[in-house]
Amino acid sequence: QRLGLGLERFEHKESSAIENNIDGIEDLFQDEFDTFNSACLDLCKEMKIPNSNVSSDWMTFIEQNDQTFIKLSDCVYSSKYFAKGNAKCHFAWNPRTKNPMCIKVIENKSGNNHETEMLEKLMRHTGQKPGEHNIVKYYGHEVRQGHTCLKFEIVHPKNSFRKDLTNMSDRNVVTYMRELLKALDSLHNRYGITHRDIKPENFVHNFETNTFRLIDFGSAVYMSDDHGIALKRAGTRGYK
């Protein structure tokens, strides 16, 4: 009889543990959806705003197969990334502003908050108008499942320097370099910051809209900083 009671208690504990694990898994993925529409509808309900349609220019990123859609507090982003370096960049949509965004996902580990701190300082330096200096607009960040999701404006993920290189006119080259130097001049002479990782992938562009943005401030430091991260190596091999 005692053995029977013991087994019954064990089975009850085992069943409770399994149920708790299942609940934990469901909580873990409660912000992940199979379709963009379901994710966007759920977010719009939370935000108490009407659902918004994505413009056709950006639908190609939503219509890709074999992906899920992750809900943050103010946007939905696709699990497939369009760019990858030290971190992955994903297409996102903000239903309130009805604008696309870029979500940069980085590991949330000790000492990995330098970029967010630098971006917050840059936004204050520029009076929340970084585009006037060809610096990417930063909207803040959220932590999700051991990763930090940095939110940015997006220029156009289909454009890349490598793809455009064969089609660039002399005028395009002059424009590209002028706008890059404008960004660096603001960083160096206005704010005393050095980027330390200048390369084509970090100066995104769209010639059609005449939009240019310097991105990736993970290695950026104040030029007056003579300790800490400033002493660490930075840059990308081949561009140093």
Side-chain angles (χ1 to χ4, degrees):
Q1 188 177 5
R2 288 180 180 176
L3 179 61
L5 285 172
L7 285 171
E8 187 177 334
R9 287 171 183 169
F10 174 78
E11 288 172 354
H12 177 71
K13 288 181 180 179
E14 187 81 2
S15 176
S16 298
I18 292 171
E19 287 177 4
N20 289 335
N21 284 337
I22 291 172
D23 290 340
I25 291 171
E26 287 178 351
D27 290 342
L28 192 64
F29 293 101
Q30 65 179 350
D31 57 354
E32 197 161 342
F33 298 80
D34 291 331
T35 67
F36 170 79
N37 285 335
S38 58
C40 205
L41 277 170
D42 195 79
L43 177 60
C44 288
K45 284 180 182 178
E46 287 185 2
M47 299 173 75
K48 298 180 180 179
I49 59 172
N51 192 19
S52 62
N53 295 322
V54 180
S55 60
S56 57
D57 291 345
W58 302 99
M59 282 301 294
T60 52
F61 300 100
I62 294 170
E63 292 172 341
Q64 292 183 52
N65 296 324
D66 303 321
Q67 66 174 334
T68 56
F69 298 89
I70 296 95
K71 182 185 68 175
L72 297 180
S73 65
D74 59 356
C75 67
V76 171
Y77 75 89
S78 57
S79 61
K80 281 192 174 180
Y81 55 86
F82 64 80
K84 180 182 178 183
N86 293 329
K88 295 176 181 177
C89 295
H90 305 253
F91 170 79
W93 180 257
N94 185 322
R96 186 183 295 279
T97 63
K98 300 180 182 179
N99 286 323
M101 296 169 62
C102 170
I103 303 297
K104 180 179 180 180
V105 181
I106 61 177
E107 286 188 44
N108 187 24
K109 58 185 180 181
S110 177
N112 213 15
N113 60 346
H114 175 76
E115 184 171 10
T116 57
E117 292 175 356
M118 183 58 71
L119 286 164
E120 287 166 2
K121 291 174 182 176
L122 261 175
M123 295 308 104
R124 290 196 294 271
H125 285 322
T126 60
Q128 299 298 323
K129 295 180 180 179
E132 294 180 1
H133 310 282
N134 289 343
I135 295 169
V136 70
K137 174 72 174 177
Y138 172 62
Y139 299 114
H141 70 278
E142 293 183 34
V143 176
R144 178 185 181 271
Q145 295 184 15
H147 290 78
T148 300
C149 301
L150 282 65
K151 307 174 189 178
F152 299 97
E153 67 172 315
I154 196 168
V155 175
H156 208 299
K158 288 187 289 187
N159 279 23
S160 75
F161 187 85
R162 294 180 188 277
K163 290 179 182 177
D164 283 352
L165 189 59
T166 55
N167 300 316
M168 272 190 182
S169 65
D170 291 344
R171 182 184 294 273
N172 287 152
V173 174
V174 170
T175 300
Y176 184 90
M177 292 306 301
R178 182 184 65 240
E179 299 303 320
L180 172 58
L181 292 172
K182 177 181 176 181
L184 295 178
D185 179 63
S186 292
L187 273 186
H188 296 172
N189 298 321
R190 285 175 180 263
Y191 313 126
I193 294 172
T194 179
H195 186 277
R196 303 205 308 163
D197 193 16
I198 297 299
K199 58 183 178 180
E201 290 87 345
N202 285 343
F203 191 58
V204 293
H205 68 284
N206 187 336
F207 286 120
E208 292 180 7
T209 60
N210 199 37
T211 305
F212 303 85
R213 294 290 186 266
L214 187 60
I215 65 172
D216 194 350
F217 289 85
S219 299
V221 293
Y222 284 95
M223 288 186 276
S224 58
D225 181 12
D226 58 356
H227 62 280
I229 195 168
L231 297 179
K232 296 180 181 179
R233 290 186 178 183
T236 302
R237 184 176 297 177
Y239 295 103
K240 293 182 179 181

Short mmCIF file of all heavy atoms in Angstrom, two decimals, residues 143-192:
data_model
loop_
_atom_site.label_atom_id
_atom_site.label_comp_id
_atom_site.label_asym_id
_atom_site.label_seq_id
_atom_site.Cartn_x
_atom_site.Cartn_y
_atom_site.Cartn_z
N VAL A 143 15.04 43.11 -24.88
CA VAL A 143 15.71 41.84 -24.63
C VAL A 143 14.71 40.71 -24.82
O VAL A 143 13.60 40.76 -24.29
CB VAL A 143 16.30 41.79 -23.21
CG1 VAL A 143 16.91 40.42 -22.92
CG2 VAL A 143 17.36 42.88 -23.04
N ARG A 144 15.11 39.71 -25.60
CA ARG A 144 14.22 38.58 -25.88
C ARG A 144 15.03 37.29 -25.92
O ARG A 144 15.96 37.16 -26.70
CB ARG A 144 13.49 38.77 -27.21
CG ARG A 144 12.58 37.60 -27.58
CD ARG A 144 11.96 37.77 -28.96
NE ARG A 144 11.09 36.64 -29.25
CZ ARG A 144 11.50 35.51 -29.83
NH1 ARG A 144 12.78 35.37 -30.17
NH2 ARG A 144 10.64 34.53 -30.07
N GLN A 145 14.69 36.34 -25.07
CA GLN A 145 15.28 35.00 -25.06
C GLN A 145 16.82 35.03 -25.13
O GLN A 145 17.44 34.40 -25.98
CB GLN A 145 14.72 34.18 -26.22
CG GLN A 145 13.24 33.90 -26.11
CD GLN A 145 12.73 33.00 -27.22
OE1 GLN A 145 13.51 32.36 -27.92
NE2 GLN A 145 11.42 32.93 -27.38
N GLY A 146 17.43 35.80 -24.25
CA GLY A 146 18.88 35.83 -24.17
C GLY A 146 19.56 36.62 -25.28
O GLY A 146 20.78 36.54 -25.44
N HIS A 147 18.78 37.39 -26.03
CA HIS A 147 19.33 38.23 -27.09
C HIS A 147 18.80 39.66 -26.95
O HIS A 147 17.71 39.88 -26.41
CB HIS A 147 18.96 37.69 -28.47
CG HIS A 147 19.65 36.41 -28.82
ND1 HIS A 147 19.24 35.18 -28.31
CD2 HIS A 147 20.74 36.14 -29.60
CE1 HIS A 147 20.02 34.23 -28.77
NE2 HIS A 147 20.95 34.79 -29.54
N THR A 148 19.60 40.60 -27.43
CA THR A 148 19.17 42.00 -27.45
C THR A 148 18.76 42.35 -28.87
O THR A 148 19.52 42.10 -29.82
CB THR A 148 20.30 42.93 -26.98
OG1 THR A 148 20.67 42.59 -25.65
CG2 THR A 148 19.85 44.38 -27.01
N CYS A 149 17.58 42.91 -29.02
CA CYS A 149 17.05 43.30 -30.33
C CYS A 149 17.15 44.82 -30.46
O CYS A 149 16.42 45.55 -29.80
CB CYS A 149 15.59 42.86 -30.48
SG CYS A 149 15.33 41.08 -30.31
N LEU A 150 18.09 45.28 -31.29
CA LEU A 150 18.27 46.71 -31.54
C LEU A 150 17.38 47.12 -32.69
O LEU A 150 17.32 46.44 -33.71
CB LEU A 150 19.73 47.02 -31.86
CG LEU A 150 20.72 47.09 -30.70
CD1 LEU A 150 20.90 45.74 -30.03
CD2 LEU A 150 22.09 47.57 -31.20
N LYS A 151 16.69 48.25 -32.54
CA LYS A 151 15.72 48.70 -33.55
C LYS A 151 16.26 49.92 -34.29
O LYS A 151 16.66 50.90 -33.68
CB LYS A 151 14.40 49.06 -32.88
CG LYS A 151 13.83 47.97 -31.99
CD LYS A 151 12.60 48.49 -31.26
CE LYS A 151 12.13 47.53 -30.20
NZ LYS A 151 10.97 48.07 -29.46
N PHE A 152 16.23 49.83 -35.63
CA PHE A 152 16.74 50.91 -36.47
C PHE A 152 15.78 51.23 -37.61
O PHE A 152 14.93 50.41 -37.97
CB PHE A 152 18.08 50.51 -37.11
CG PHE A 152 19.18 50.20 -36.15
CD1 PHE A 152 19.45 48.90 -35.77
CD2 PHE A 152 19.95 51.22 -35.61
CE1 PHE A 152 20.48 48.60 -34.89
CE2 PHE A 152 20.98 50.93 -34.73
CZ PHE A 152 21.25 49.62 -34.37
N GLU A 153 15.96 52.43 -38.18
CA GLU A 153 15.34 52.69 -39.46
C GLU A 153 16.00 51.77 -40.48
O GLU A 153 17.10 51.27 -40.27
CB GLU A 153 15.55 54.15 -39.87
CG GLU A 153 17.00 54.51 -40.19
CD GLU A 153 17.18 55.89 -40.77
OE1 GLU A 153 16.41 56.27 -41.68
OE2 GLU A 153 18.11 56.60 -40.32
N ILE A 154 15.34 51.57 -41.61
CA ILE A 154 15.90 50.72 -42.65
C ILE A 154 16.03 51.54 -43.93
O ILE A 154 15.15 52.36 -44.24
CB ILE A 154 15.03 49.46 -42.86
CG1 ILE A 154 15.78 48.39 -43.64
CG2 ILE A 154 13.70 49.79 -43.50
CD1 ILE A 154 15.09 47.03 -43.62
N VAL A 155 17.13 51.38 -44.62
CA VAL A 155 17.32 52.11 -45.89
C VAL A 155 16.73 51.28 -47.01
O VAL A 155 15.78 51.66 -47.66
CB VAL A 155 18.80 52.43 -46.12
CG1 VAL A 155 19.01 53.07 -47.48
CG2 VAL A 155 19.31 53.33 -45.02
N HIS A 156 17.30 50.15 -47.29
CA HIS A 156 16.72 49.15 -48.18
C HIS A 156 17.61 47.92 -48.18
O HIS A 156 18.74 48.00 -48.63
CB HIS A 156 16.53 49.66 -49.61
CG HIS A 156 15.40 48.97 -50.31
ND1 HIS A 156 15.38 47.62 -50.53
CD2 HIS A 156 14.23 49.43 -50.80
CE1 HIS A 156 14.26 47.28 -51.13
NE2 HIS A 156 13.53 48.36 -51.31
N PRO A 157 17.09 46.80 -47.67
CA PRO A 157 17.94 45.61 -47.55
C PRO A 157 18.32 44.98 -48.88
O PRO A 157 19.23 44.16 -48.93
CB PRO A 157 17.08 44.65 -46.73
CG PRO A 157 15.69 45.11 -46.94
CD PRO A 157 15.76 46.59 -47.12
N LYS A 158 17.64 45.36 -49.96
CA LYS A 158 18.00 44.78 -51.27
C LYS A 158 19.20 45.48 -51.89
O LYS A 158 19.80 44.98 -52.82
CB LYS A 158 16.79 44.85 -52.22
CG LYS A 158 15.67 43.88 -51.86
CD LYS A 158 14.58 43.85 -52.91
CE LYS A 158 13.76 45.10 -52.93
NZ LYS A 158 12.61 45.00 -53.83
N ASN A 159 19.52 46.65 -51.39
CA ASN A 159 20.66 47.39 -51.92
C ASN A 159 21.93 46.99 -51.17
O ASN A 159 21.95 46.90 -49.96
CB ASN A 159 20.45 48.89 -51.73
CG ASN A 159 19.56 49.47 -52.80
OD1 ASN A 159 18.77 48.76 -53.41
ND2 ASN A 159 19.66 50.77 -53.01
N SER A 160 22.98 46.77 -51.89
CA SER A 160 24.28 46.54 -51.27
C SER A 160 25.36 47.12 -52.17
O SER A 160 25.19 47.21 -53.39
CB SER A 160 24.53 45.05 -51.05
OG SER A 160 24.84 44.41 -52.27
N PHE A 161 26.45 47.51 -51.56
CA PHE A 161 27.54 48.12 -52.31
C PHE A 161 28.09 47.15 -53.35
O PHE A 161 28.39 47.53 -54.47
CB PHE A 161 28.64 48.54 -51.34
CG PHE A 161 29.75 49.32 -51.99
CD1 PHE A 161 29.64 50.69 -52.16
CD2 PHE A 161 30.92 48.69 -52.40
CE1 PHE A 161 30.67 51.41 -52.75
CE2 PHE A 161 31.95 49.40 -52.99
CZ PHE A 161 31.82 50.77 -53.16
N ARG A 162 28.20 45.88 -52.97
CA ARG A 162 28.76 44.88 -53.88
C ARG A 162 27.90 44.72 -55.13
O ARG A 162 28.41 44.59 -56.24
CB ARG A 162 28.92 43.53 -53.17
CG ARG A 162 29.95 43.55 -52.06
CD ARG A 162 30.05 42.19 -51.37
NE ARG A 162 30.89 42.23 -50.19
CZ ARG A 162 32.21 42.15 -50.20
NH1 ARG A 162 32.84 42.03 -51.34
NH2 ARG A 162 32.90 42.18 -49.08
N LYS A 163 26.58 44.71 -54.94
CA LYS A 163 25.67 44.56 -56.07
C LYS A 163 25.70 45.79 -56.97
O LYS A 163 25.61 45.69 -58.19
CB LYS A 163 24.24 44.31 -55.58
CG LYS A 163 24.03 42.95 -54.95
CD LYS A 163 22.60 42.80 -54.46
CE LYS A 163 22.39 41.44 -53.79
NZ LYS A 163 21.01 41.32 -53.25
N ASP A 164 25.80 46.96 -56.36
CA ASP A 164 25.77 48.20 -57.13
C ASP A 164 27.11 48.57 -57.76
O ASP A 164 27.17 49.41 -58.65
CB ASP A 164 25.33 49.37 -56.23
CG ASP A 164 23.83 49.36 -55.99
OD1 ASP A 164 23.14 48.56 -56.62
OD2 ASP A 164 23.37 50.17 -55.16
N LEU A 165 28.17 47.94 -57.30
CA LEU A 165 29.51 48.34 -57.72
C LEU A 165 29.68 48.31 -59.23
O LEU A 165 30.27 49.22 -59.83
CB LEU A 165 30.55 47.43 -57.06
CG LEU A 165 32.01 47.85 -57.21
CD1 LEU A 165 32.22 49.24 -56.62
CD2 LEU A 165 32.93 46.84 -56.53
N THR A 166 29.14 47.26 -59.89
CA THR A 166 29.31 47.14 -61.33
C THR A 166 28.47 48.15 -62.11
O THR A 166 28.72 48.40 -63.28
CB THR A 166 28.93 45.72 -61.79
OG1 THR A 166 27.60 45.42 -61.35
CG2 THR A 166 29.89 44.70 -61.21
N ASN A 167 27.45 48.71 -61.45
CA ASN A 167 26.55 49.65 -62.14
C ASN A 167 26.73 51.09 -61.70
O ASN A 167 26.02 51.98 -62.17
CB ASN A 167 25.08 49.24 -61.88
CG ASN A 167 24.79 47.84 -62.39
OD1 ASN A 167 25.20 47.48 -63.49
ND2 ASN A 167 24.10 47.05 -61.58
N MET A 168 27.66 51.35 -60.80
CA MET A 168 27.84 52.71 -60.29
C MET A 168 28.44 53.62 -61.35
O MET A 168 29.46 53.30 -61.97
CB MET A 168 28.76 52.71 -59.06
CG MET A 168 28.05 52.51 -57.75
SD MET A 168 29.19 52.82 -56.38
CE MET A 168 28.13 52.44 -55.00
N SER A 169 27.82 54.77 -61.54
CA SER A 169 28.37 55.78 -62.43
C SER A 169 29.40 56.61 -61.66
O SER A 169 29.50 56.51 -60.43
CB SER A 169 27.26 56.69 -62.94
OG SER A 169 26.70 57.43 -61.87
N ASP A 170 30.15 57.42 -62.38
CA ASP A 170 31.10 58.30 -61.70
C ASP A 170 30.38 59.22 -60.72
O ASP A 170 30.87 59.50 -59.62
CB ASP A 170 31.86 59.13 -62.73
CG ASP A 170 32.81 58.29 -63.57
OD1 ASP A 170 33.09 57.14 -63.16
OD2 ASP A 170 33.27 58.76 -64.62
N ARG A 171 29.19 59.68 -61.12
CA ARG A 171 28.41 60.55 -60.25
C ARG A 171 28.01 59.83 -58.96
O ARG A 171 28.05 60.40 -57.88
CB ARG A 171 27.16 61.03 -60.99
CG ARG A 171 26.29 62.01 -60.18
CD ARG A 171 25.03 62.35 -60.96
NE ARG A 171 25.35 63.11 -62.15
CZ ARG A 171 25.48 64.43 -62.18
NH1 ARG A 171 25.34 65.13 -61.06
NH2 ARG A 171 25.74 65.06 -63.30
N ASN A 172 27.63 58.53 -59.10
CA ASN A 172 27.26 57.74 -57.93
C ASN A 172 28.43 57.61 -56.97
O ASN A 172 28.27 57.73 -55.75
CB ASN A 172 26.81 56.34 -58.34
CG ASN A 172 25.46 56.30 -59.00
OD1 ASN A 172 25.18 55.42 -59.81
ND2 ASN A 172 24.59 57.25 -58.66
N VAL A 173 29.61 57.35 -57.51
CA VAL A 173 30.81 57.19 -56.68
C VAL A 173 31.10 58.48 -55.92
O VAL A 173 31.38 58.45 -54.70
CB VAL A 173 32.02 56.77 -57.53
CG1 VAL A 173 33.29 56.76 -56.67
CG2 VAL A 173 31.80 55.41 -58.16
N VAL A 174 31.03 59.60 -56.61
CA VAL A 174 31.30 60.90 -55.98
C VAL A 174 30.27 61.17 -54.88
O VAL A 174 30.62 61.60 -53.77
CB VAL A 174 31.27 62.03 -57.03
CG1 VAL A 174 31.29 63.40 -56.35
CG2 VAL A 174 32.45 61.90 -57.98
N THR A 175 29.00 60.88 -55.18
CA THR A 175 27.93 61.09 -54.19
C THR A 175 28.14 60.21 -52.97
O THR A 175 28.03 60.67 -51.83
CB THR A 175 26.55 60.79 -54.82
OG1 THR A 175 26.34 61.66 -55.93
CG2 THR A 175 25.44 60.99 -53.80
N TYR A 176 28.44 58.95 -53.21
CA TYR A 176 28.64 57.99 -52.12
C TYR A 176 29.76 58.45 -51.19
O TYR A 176 29.60 58.47 -49.96
CB TYR A 176 28.96 56.62 -52.71
CG TYR A 176 29.10 55.50 -51.69
CD1 TYR A 176 28.00 54.75 -51.31
CD2 TYR A 176 30.34 55.21 -51.12
CE1 TYR A 176 28.13 53.72 -50.37
CE2 TYR A 176 30.48 54.20 -50.19
CZ TYR A 176 29.37 53.45 -49.83
OH TYR A 176 29.51 52.45 -48.90
N MET A 177 30.89 58.83 -51.77
CA MET A 177 32.04 59.23 -50.96
C MET A 177 31.77 60.56 -50.24
O MET A 177 32.16 60.74 -49.08
CB MET A 177 33.30 59.34 -51.83
CG MET A 177 33.79 58.01 -52.37
SD MET A 177 34.05 56.77 -51.06
CE MET A 177 35.26 57.58 -50.03
N ARG A 178 31.10 61.49 -50.90
CA ARG A 178 30.78 62.77 -50.27
C ARG A 178 29.90 62.56 -49.03
O ARG A 178 30.13 63.14 -47.97
CB ARG A 178 30.09 63.70 -51.25
CG ARG A 178 29.77 65.09 -50.66
CD ARG A 178 29.00 65.98 -51.61
NE ARG A 178 27.67 65.43 -51.87
CZ ARG A 178 27.23 65.09 -53.09
NH1 ARG A 178 28.03 65.22 -54.15
NH2 ARG A 178 26.01 64.62 -53.24
N GLU A 179 28.87 61.71 -49.18
CA GLU A 179 27.95 61.47 -48.07
C GLU A 179 28.62 60.69 -46.94
O GLU A 179 28.32 60.92 -45.76
CB GLU A 179 26.71 60.72 -48.57
CG GLU A 179 25.91 61.48 -49.63
CD GLU A 179 25.44 62.85 -49.16
OE1 GLU A 179 25.04 62.97 -47.98
OE2 GLU A 179 25.49 63.80 -49.96
N LEU A 180 29.54 59.79 -47.27
CA LEU A 180 30.29 59.08 -46.24
C LEU A 180 31.17 60.05 -45.45
O LEU A 180 31.21 60.01 -44.21
CB LEU A 180 31.16 57.99 -46.87
CG LEU A 180 32.15 57.27 -45.94
CD1 LEU A 180 31.42 56.61 -44.77
CD2 LEU A 180 32.97 56.25 -46.72
N LEU A 181 31.87 60.93 -46.15
CA LEU A 181 32.73 61.91 -45.49
C LEU A 181 31.92 62.88 -44.64
O LEU A 181 32.39 63.33 -43.58
CB LEU A 181 33.56 62.67 -46.53
CG LEU A 181 34.63 61.83 -47.25
CD1 LEU A 181 35.25 62.63 -48.39
CD2 LEU A 181 35.69 61.34 -46.28
N LYS A 182 30.70 63.18 -45.07
CA LYS A 182 29.81 64.04 -44.27
C LYS A 182 29.51 63.38 -42.93
O LYS A 182 29.54 64.03 -41.88
CB LYS A 182 28.52 64.29 -45.05
CG LYS A 182 27.49 65.11 -44.29
CD LYS A 182 26.23 65.30 -45.13
CE LYS A 182 25.14 66.02 -44.35
NZ LYS A 182 23.90 66.17 -45.18
N ALA A 183 29.22 62.07 -42.97
CA ALA A 183 28.93 61.33 -41.73
C ALA A 183 30.15 61.30 -40.82
O ALA A 183 30.05 61.53 -39.60
CB ALA A 183 28.48 59.91 -42.07
N LEU A 184 31.33 61.03 -41.39
CA LEU A 184 32.55 60.94 -40.59
C LEU A 184 32.94 62.31 -40.03
O LEU A 184 33.44 62.40 -38.90
CB LEU A 184 33.68 60.37 -41.44
CG LEU A 184 33.49 58.92 -41.90
CD1 LEU A 184 34.66 58.47 -42.77
CD2 LEU A 184 33.33 57.99 -40.70
N ASP A 185 32.71 63.35 -40.79
CA ASP A 185 33.01 64.70 -40.31
C ASP A 185 32.18 65.04 -39.08
O ASP A 185 32.68 65.60 -38.10
CB ASP A 185 32.75 65.72 -41.41
CG ASP A 185 33.02 67.15 -40.95
OD1 ASP A 185 34.18 67.45 -40.61
OD2 ASP A 185 32.06 67.95 -40.91
N SER A 186 30.89 64.66 -39.12
CA SER A 186 30.03 64.90 -37.95
C SER A 186 30.49 64.10 -36.75
O SER A 186 30.57 64.62 -35.63
CB SER A 186 28.58 64.53 -38.29
OG SER A 186 28.04 65.42 -39.25
N LEU A 187 30.81 62.83 -36.98
CA LEU A 187 31.27 61.98 -35.88
C LEU A 187 32.53 62.55 -35.23
O LEU A 187 32.61 62.69 -34.01
CB LEU A 187 31.55 60.57 -36.38
CG LEU A 187 30.42 59.55 -36.45
CD1 LEU A 187 30.98 58.19 -36.83
CD2 LEU A 187 29.66 59.45 -35.14
N HIS A 188 33.52 62.86 -36.07
CA HIS A 188 34.83 63.28 -35.56
C HIS A 188 34.81 64.69 -34.98
O HIS A 188 35.25 64.91 -33.85
CB HIS A 188 35.88 63.20 -36.67
CG HIS A 188 36.10 61.81 -37.17
ND1 HIS A 188 36.90 61.54 -38.27
CD2 HIS A 188 35.66 60.61 -36.74
CE1 HIS A 188 36.91 60.24 -38.48
NE2 HIS A 188 36.17 59.66 -37.56
N ASN A 189 34.31 65.65 -35.77
CA ASN A 189 34.45 67.05 -35.40
C ASN A 189 33.33 67.62 -34.54
O ASN A 189 33.54 68.58 -33.81
CB ASN A 189 34.61 67.90 -36.67
CG ASN A 189 35.87 67.52 -37.45
OD1 ASN A 189 36.91 67.25 -36.85
ND2 ASN A 189 35.78 67.49 -38.77
N ARG A 190 32.14 67.03 -34.63
CA ARG A 190 31.04 67.49 -33.80
C ARG A 190 30.98 66.74 -32.46
O ARG A 190 30.74 67.35 -31.42
CB ARG A 190 29.70 67.31 -34.52
CG ARG A 190 29.43 68.31 -35.64
CD ARG A 190 28.13 67.95 -36.34
NE ARG A 190 27.82 68.87 -37.41
CZ ARG A 190 26.97 69.90 -37.28
NH1 ARG A 190 26.36 70.10 -36.14
NH2 ARG A 190 26.73 70.70 -38.30
N TYR A 191 31.17 65.41 -32.53
CA TYR A 191 30.91 64.59 -31.35
C TYR A 191 32.15 63.90 -30.78
O TYR A 191 32.07 63.25 -29.75
CB TYR A 191 29.84 63.53 -31.69
CG TYR A 191 28.67 64.13 -32.41
CD1 TYR A 191 28.24 63.62 -33.64
CD2 TYR A 191 27.99 65.23 -31.89
CE1 TYR A 191 27.17 64.17 -34.31
CE2 TYR A 191 26.92 65.80 -32.56
CZ TYR A 191 26.51 65.27 -33.77
OH TYR A 191 25.45 65.83 -34.44
N GLY A 192 33.29 64.04 -31.45
CA GLY A 192 34.53 63.45 -30.94
C GLY A 192 34.52 61.94 -30.89
O GLY A 192 35.11 61.32 -30.01
#
